[in-house]
Amino acid sequence: MRRCIELAALGAGNVAPNPMVGAVIVYKDNIIGEGYHEKFGEAHAEVNCINSIKEYDRQFIKECTLYVSLEPCNHFGKTPPCVDLIIKHQIMHVVIGCNDSFEKVNGAGISRLIAAGVKVDIGILEQDCRNLNKRFFTFHDKKRPYIILKWAQSNDGLIASEDLAKTKISNTYTDQLVHKWRSQEAAILVGYNTVKTDNPYLTLRNWPGKNPTRIIIDELNKLAGNLNIFNLDANTIILNRKLSKFNNNIEFYKINDEQLTTEAVVECLHKKQINSVIIEGGNKTLQMFIDAGLWDEARVITNTVLFLNKGVNAPLLQNQNLESSNNILNDRIDYFLNKNNDSL
């Protein structure tokens, strides 16, 4: 099962909104095939696992045990049901890490296997398997995306200088890590002031992968069309209270509230099938989500040798548990979890 989890993680950033899944097939304590879900819309882990078995070993499939990190699907989506494939190959023992809470699965795959006479064991490294797909489970169980907060601050707790001039806080290597983080999420979100002041691209330039969808909170649609967020590098959604329209890769999404609350924002992202978002600024937007308790992780970068003395205060995190810290040169990165969130 640990190998299943290792394989599944290789699909990070490429399978959303589907879960990451890994599978191995074992004959007499030897792995003879393995696979993982590599890309959304393409073959699932079980298919790739079975297809990887060498011709000589295929004669042993009926005597094998299939290990899979998540309950096999029992419905037609982008691909046929994996349960049908397992039954077709007469695999009589399946070991499952955790069940799939998606309403079209949620025990139906397990029930189908048992009805076909397959021996099923479930709950092997269950919490590890659930943590692997914390984005997927949060989306389906809590009806909202998995929310990560990120900001960089000086050693005296400021995120910008007094004159709001663009200030380089984190180093080049930390910036590369941030772009890796972006590649792992479905969307990146910032507020109006961040776009107006910094004119960011909000894309991957220092790491390979697919650009996340850019989500911009601009209540009154005041941002000019020549800003970098309006280029063609990534899909962009402008959340506002004035109009709805779609133009090329830019969608203006009207939220019919007197103001754009955090609840309205996450409801929109859920409706758009966005299962994870990294929020990168600014102070007002980050604090809004913190105050609402609508966050799962926070990643805070502190330049330990930079002092700005006067400027914009960093957000004030609440109800956090420090999980770990590490350093990249002079940057310390602290990883926090929201201790008020129910465990997955």
Side-chain angles (χ1 to χ4, degrees):
M1 191 58 68
R2 292 198 187 281
R3 180 58 180 159
C4 289
I5 294 171
E6 289 175 354
L7 289 166
L10 298 175
N14 296 313
V15 301
N18 282 355
M20 294 176 282
V21 184
V24 299
I25 191 162
V26 176
Y27 175 68
K28 292 186 176 179
D29 295 329
N30 291 309
I31 294 176
I32 63 170
E34 59 182 32
Y36 65 98
H37 185 27
E38 299 177 14
K39 188 175 181 181
F40 175 71
E42 296 185 0
H44 286 190
E46 297 91 331
V47 177
N48 289 330
C49 176
I50 291 173
N51 287 344
S52 75
I53 301 172
K54 294 180 180 178
E55 190 62 36
Y56 172 79
D57 289 326
R58 300 188 76 82
Q59 61 183 309
F60 306 120
I61 291 179
K62 294 180 184 179
E63 303 172 56
C64 287
T65 297
L66 175 68
Y67 293 79
V68 60
S69 57
L70 186 71
E71 175 183 1
C73 63
N74 186 42
H75 67 287
F76 282 90
K78 297 282 185 181
T79 60
C82 292
V83 166
D84 288 355
L85 183 70
I86 295 168
I87 295 172
K88 173 186 173 182
H89 284 280
Q90 300 180 43
I91 299 170
M92 299 310 294
H93 188 195
V94 176
V95 179
I96 298 170
C98 63
N99 77 308
D100 185 341
S101 59
F102 178 44
E103 59 185 3
K104 291 184 178 180
V105 185
N106 200 14
I110 294 170
S111 297
R112 177 83 186 284
L113 290 173
I114 293 173
V118 178
K119 178 185 177 184
V120 177
D121 292 313
I122 187 168
I124 311 303
L125 296 182
E126 181 175 12
Q127 196 57 53
D128 290 338
C129 291
R130 289 186 64 83
N131 287 340
L132 171 74
N133 280 306
K134 54 194 176 185
R135 297 161 180 81
F136 176 80
F137 285 114
T138 297
F139 184 81
H140 289 289
D141 296 352
K142 299 184 178 182
K143 309 302 180 188
R144 66 165 176 82
Y146 190 84
I147 299 171
I148 300 169
L149 312 178
K150 170 264 166 184
W151 69 85
Q153 62 186 23
S154 62
N155 199 41
D156 50 351
L158 302 178
I159 62 172
S161 58
E162 189 175 22
D163 61 2
L164 297 182
K166 194 166 185 178
T167 305
K168 187 77 174 71
I169 295 180
S170 54
N171 64 56
T172 300
Y173 300 104
T174 305
D175 291 346
Q176 187 175 31
L177 175 62
V178 170
H179 282 231
K180 178 182 179 181
W181 291 345
R182 289 179 180 180
S183 76
Q184 296 169 341
E185 310 309 329
I188 179 171
L189 183 150
V190 298
Y192 168 84
N193 287 332
T194 296
V195 175
K196 182 181 177 182
T197 303
D198 296 341
N199 192 20
Y201 287 91
L202 304 180
T203 55
L204 310 180
R205 299 179 304 285
N206 300 323
W207 195 264
K210 179 183 176 183
N211 286 323
T213 297
R214 298 179 289 209
I215 311 293
I216 313 300
I217 298 177
D218 179 15
E219 293 197 46
L220 301 178
N221 281 336
K222 298 198 302 185
L223 293 172
N226 60 347
L227 293 165
N228 292 326
I229 60 157
F230 292 106
N231 65 26
L232 300 178
D233 292 345
N235 292 329
T236 303
I237 300 175
I238 310 294
L239 302 180
N240 69 95
R241 294 191 290 108
K242 293 180 71 71
L243 81 161
S244 297
K245 69 176 183 178
F246 189 86
N247 181 21
N248 293 327
N249 66 323
I250 310 295
E251 179 180 0
F252 293 82
Y253 187 92
K254 181 179 179 181
I255 293 179
N256 294 313
D257 287 346
E258 291 186 1
Q259 65 182 79
L260 268 71
T261 63
T262 52
E263 290 79 7
V265 171
V266 297
E267 181 181 348
C268 166
L269 299 187
H270 187 266
K271 187 179 297 184
K272 294 292 181 182
Q273 296 294 300
I274 291 171
N275 71 355
S276 69
V277 59
I278 183 166
I279 302 175
E280 293 200 15
N283 175 284
K284 178 182 175 182
T285 300
L286 287 160
Q287 197 65 55
M288 182 172 69
F289 279 86
I290 292 169
D291 292 344
L294 270 174
W295 63 279
D296 298 286
E297 292 183 33
R299 301 170 183 175
V300 182
I301 301 163
T302 302
N303 184 328
T304 58
V305 298
L306 175 66
F307 293 83
L308 295 177
N309 300 315
K310 292 183 179 180
V312 180
N313 289 327
L316 181 61
L317 206 54
Q318 304 166 21
N319 301 312
Q320 73 275 18
N321 275 334
L322 177 63
E323 289 296 299
S324 63
S325 299
N326 66 277
N327 289 79
I328 300 178
L329 300 180
N330 292 324
D331 290 345
R332 186 186 74 246
I333 307 172
D334 296 318
Y335 298 84
F336 300 94
L337 294 180
N338 187 341
K339 66 181 181 182
N340 284 350
N341 279 358
D342 297 332
S343 60
L344 293 174

